[in-house]
Amino acid sequence: MNKEFLEKIEIRRNKLEEIKTSLKEKFIGIDGVIDKIIDSISLWYLTPEIQFRPLIISLWGITGVGKTDLVRTLVKHLGFMDKFIEIQMDTKNEYSKTIESYLENSGVDTSQPSILLLDEIQRYR
């Protein structure tokens, strides 16, 4: 394998470990959830070149436990703020647009690794 490629993977792997530690410091009591999320995104983050389908992670739990804040904090630590789209799916928003139209109008290059958060999806009808 290419030495540069392997070095890039190692740098990203170290960054994921730092992010995991940071998340565990901020979000007390959900170490197992953080481990699962980091494990789930590892391949997507380390080698996006081989990821051809979207990675979908579903977080569920009672209101107010920090699911949305966890995702936002993860996005910030990954350096993906410019590659992040958050759509609130509650009934307060107007949904005359499709998700595809949100993606097109977001300015995010969807051909590159990016993150889409569909928040409060249980309220969408």
Side-chain angles (χ1 to χ4, degrees):
M1 283 200 134
N2 183 337
K3 185 177 178 180
E4 282 181 31
F5 182 69
L6 293 175
E7 287 174 356
K8 184 170 75 169
I9 289 174
E10 189 59 30
I11 290 168
R12 288 181 179 178
R13 180 173 293 140
N14 291 337
K15 185 170 182 176
L16 275 182
E17 286 302 315
E18 291 172 14
I19 291 169
K20 184 191 303 188
T21 300
S22 179
L23 291 174
K24 288 179 180 182
E25 289 172 2
K26 181 174 180 176
F27 298 95
I28 307 300
I30 59 168
D31 289 4
V33 172
I34 292 168
D35 288 338
K36 287 180 185 178
I37 291 171
I38 296 297
D39 288 346
S40 295
I41 69 167
S42 289
L43 184 61
W44 169 83
Y45 183 69
L46 297 175
T47 55
E49 301 86 0
I50 64 171
Q51 186 82 25
F52 297 106
R53 296 185 181 212
L55 171 65
I56 299 172
I57 298 174
S58 176
L59 300 177
W60 58 274
I62 61 173
T63 301
V65 297
K67 298 176 296 291
T68 303
D69 191 28
L70 176 62
V71 173
R72 289 177 182 154
T73 304
L74 174 62
V75 167
K76 187 183 295 182
H77 285 314
L78 288 171
F80 269 61
M81 291 302 292
D82 61 336
K83 302 172 190 173
F84 176 57
I85 304 166
E86 180 177 345
I87 302 174
Q88 292 292 323
M89 303 292 287
D90 59 16
T91 56
K92 296 175 189 167
N93 290 328
E94 179 184 329
Y95 284 98
S96 59
K97 296 181 178 181
T98 64
I99 290 176
E100 183 178 20
S101 122
Y102 277 101
L103 296 174
E104 288 171 356
N105 295 321
S106 70
V108 172
D109 181 359
T110 56
S111 69
Q112 297 297 313
S114 52
I115 298 173
L116 170 64
L117 170 61
L118 300 176
D119 200 13
E120 301 293 341
I121 198 165
Q122 77 278 3
R123 297 182 187 196
Y124 183 68
R125 298 187 198 288

